[in-house]
């Protein structure tokens, strides 16, 4: 059978963090003893208010949901002060990213992103026969932060979409509001997609308000991280009504089920769970920084304002794949940078910020490696 375009003949797939049960079975380790630090999941679990909302809607499973997830759109509009028609809801941010690529970049068009970045940006671009442009020169190799001047310089008249992740993945570094505005204003003919998946850990309110100021900006958020709903798949975007309308036209009609919309709407009211999650991540991240000072073969790259951070391998006699496997044998799951992020070489791992005891497991396992 013939494929529609070459990218689908031998496709590259997204590499998620390994599940704990796989590692338990492979290495004979109790699942309770595994520190899962490769998926940026919420260590406190799901929002209790979201769980209760799911229980209350189980009797509605025979009903078709609102095709626009209207109850959730309305709740988001109230929480963030935007009109409901400027909100779109998807099965995670990833689904919305696929709509934006399809609706705002023609086949063969250029989509700009930092290098390295969240792999879905370039994987979806290639699957849709668009051209991903990873701007590796815009990554400062010492801090792993995005050099905004270099990133702006890469935008040209052929650029259709510009991705900005804040905090950035995989580094967790932060881009100021001034610099985000500079990027948006440097791309007046392109759609700028500001991905704020991890913004709750940044000690800021994020930049959804910028969507009021520009007609070429969409801001994305997820319920997978701070709200603990990764297994439900819920995300949303805020932008100009014409952008939202175009995405509604290309999305699957009933993409959001009643349990997804009910749980996410309830989670937005769960301030106690959100605050406890952010406090736990901040405490664990600070604890990790202290513990990494004990190591001389590995460096915790500073500056993360997310629920993960990069670890640089300073020992020239090993690499990320060998360290990754060594950690698995010791019951610690992280991400091998060379496998998970295009352009992130074999000198880096991405590790979740998590409870202090999980950070101890990570540092102790690194210290134990031969």
């Amino acid at each position: 059978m013939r494929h529609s375009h070459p990218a689908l003949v031998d496709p590259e797939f997204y590499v998620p963090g390994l599940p704990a049960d796989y590692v338990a079975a492979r290495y004979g380790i109790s699942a309770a003893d595994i520190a899962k630090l490769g998926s940026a999941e919420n260590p406190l679990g799901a929002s209790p208010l979201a769980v209760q909302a799911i229980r209350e809607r189980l009797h509605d499973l025979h009903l078709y949901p609102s095709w626009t997830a209207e109850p959730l759109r309305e709740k988001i509009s109230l929480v963030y002060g935007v009109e409901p028609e400027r909100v779109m809801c998807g099965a995670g941010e990833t689904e919305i990213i696929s709509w934006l690529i399809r609706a705002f970049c023609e086949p063969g068009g250029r989509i700009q992103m930092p290098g390295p970045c969240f792999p879905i940006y370039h994987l979806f671009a290639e699957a849709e026969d668009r051209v991903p442009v990873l701007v590796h020169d815009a990554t400062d190799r010492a801090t792993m932060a995005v050099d905004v001047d270099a990133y702006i310089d890469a935008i040209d008249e052929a650029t259709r979409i510009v991705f900005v992740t804040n905090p950035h993945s995989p580094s967790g570094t932060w881009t100021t509001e001034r610099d985000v505005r500079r990027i948006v204003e440097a791309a007046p003919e392109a759609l700028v997609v500001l991905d704020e998946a991890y913004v709750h850990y940044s000690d800021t309110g994020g930049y959804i308000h910028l969507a009021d100021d520009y007609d070429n900006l969409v801001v994305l958020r997820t319920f997978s991280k701070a709200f603990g709903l990764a297994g439900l798949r819920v995300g949303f975007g805020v932008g100009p009504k014409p952008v939202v309308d175009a995405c509604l036209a290309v999305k699957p009609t009933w993409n959001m089920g009643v349990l997804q919309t009910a749980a996410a709407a309830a989670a937005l009211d769960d301030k106690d769970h959100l605050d406890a999650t952010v406090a736990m991540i901040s405490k664990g991240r600070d604890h990790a920084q202290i513990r990494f000072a004990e190591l001389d073969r590995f460096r915790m790259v500073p500056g993360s304002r997310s629920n993960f951070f990069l670890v640089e391998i300073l020992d020239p006699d090993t690499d990320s794949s060998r360290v990754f496997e060594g950690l698995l044998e010791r019951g610690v799951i992280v991400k091998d940078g060379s496998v998970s992020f295009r352009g992130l070489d074999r000198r880096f791992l991405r590790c979740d910020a998590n409870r202090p005891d999980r950070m101890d497991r990570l540092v102790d396992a690194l210290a134990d490696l031969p």
Side-chain angles (χ1 to χ4, degrees), residues 28-301:
I29 303 170
S30 168
D33 293 331
I34 291 173
K36 188 180 180 186
L37 304 175
S39 301
E41 294 165 339
N42 191 318
L44 299 183
S47 154
L49 292 186
V51 174
Q52 181 60 33
I54 288 173
R55 293 194 181 104
E56 293 172 358
R57 295 301 300 273
L58 289 175
H59 63 283
D60 290 336
L61 297 184
H62 65 295
L63 301 174
Y64 277 103
S66 162
W67 80 277
T68 60
E70 201 61 31
L72 182 55
R73 292 177 91 190
E74 292 176 354
K75 185 58 177 284
I76 291 167
S77 75
L78 289 173
V79 171
Y80 293 101
V82 297
E83 299 85 354
E85 59 267 24
R86 293 178 52 212
V87 178
M88 53 185 160
C89 302
E93 277 190 14
T94 51
E95 185 179 39
I96 299 174
I97 289 168
S98 73
W99 307 338
L100 292 167
I101 289 172
R102 196 172 304 137
F104 292 95
C105 183
E106 75 282 5
R110 293 161 59 90
I111 301 176
Q112 180 170 313
M113 57 204 72
C117 66
F118 180 38
I120 289 297
Y121 302 158
H122 56 78
L123 294 178
F124 278 11
E126 290 167 337
E128 295 286 353
D129 201 21
R130 278 65 168 172
V131 179
V133 180
L134 279 79
V135 188
H136 296 288
D137 291 344
T139 299
D140 183 314
R141 301 301 289 185
T143 65
M144 299 305 293
V146 176
D147 181 329
V148 173
D149 289 331
Y151 198 57
I152 287 174
D153 286 345
I155 300 170
D156 62 26
E157 66 280 357
T159 304
R160 298 291 181 262
I161 296 175
V162 177
F163 279 104
V164 179
T165 316
N166 204 32
H168 185 55
S169 179
S171 66
T173 52
W174 185 251
T175 303
T176 66
E177 178 175 333
R178 175 180 176 273
D179 281 338
V180 171
R181 286 184 180 275
R182 288 175 58 213
I183 294 170
V184 177
E185 291 166 7
E189 302 303 318
L191 178 67
V192 177
V193 180
L194 175 59
D195 182 348
E196 294 192 329
Y198 307 97
V199 74
H200 295 94
Y201 306 107
S202 68
D203 195 30
T204 78
Y207 302 148
I208 281 182
H209 62 278
L210 295 185
D212 295 335
D213 297 344
Y214 300 101
D215 61 7
N216 64 326
L217 174 66
V218 171
V219 184
L220 305 183
R221 294 275 182 100
T222 182
F223 287 87
S224 297
K225 312 302 180 186
F227 296 107
L229 302 183
L232 272 187
R233 312 308 306 130
V234 188
F236 70 91
V238 174
K241 185 177 183 298
V243 172
V244 171
D245 286 349
C247 288
L248 295 181
V250 301
K251 81 173 186 69
T253 304
W254 289 288
N255 64 311
M256 301 289 293
V258 293
L259 301 187
Q260 290 167 289
T261 56
L268 287 172
D269 289 329
D270 204 340
K271 185 176 186 301
D272 289 345
H273 182 262
L274 179 62
D275 289 347
T277 296
V278 172
M280 174 68 74
I281 295 301
S282 178
K283 182 178 180 180
R285 197 171 56 200
D286 291 345
H287 183 72
Q289 188 73 67
I290 294 169
R291 287 296 317 274
F292 265 87
E294 304 169 13
L295 304 178
D296 57 7
R297 300 170 62 207
F298 304 94
R299 177 181 78 105
M300 179 177 169
V301 178

Side-chain angles (χ1 to χ4, degrees), residues 19-36 327-333 358 361:
D21 55 359
Y22 168 83
V23 177
R26 179 177 173 184
Y27 293 101
I29 303 170
S30 168
D33 293 331
I34 291 173
K36 188 180 180 186
L327 290 176
L328 288 183
E329 294 171 4
R330 290 159 176 79
V332 178
I333 303 171
R358 298 284 176 85
R361 287 286 310 281

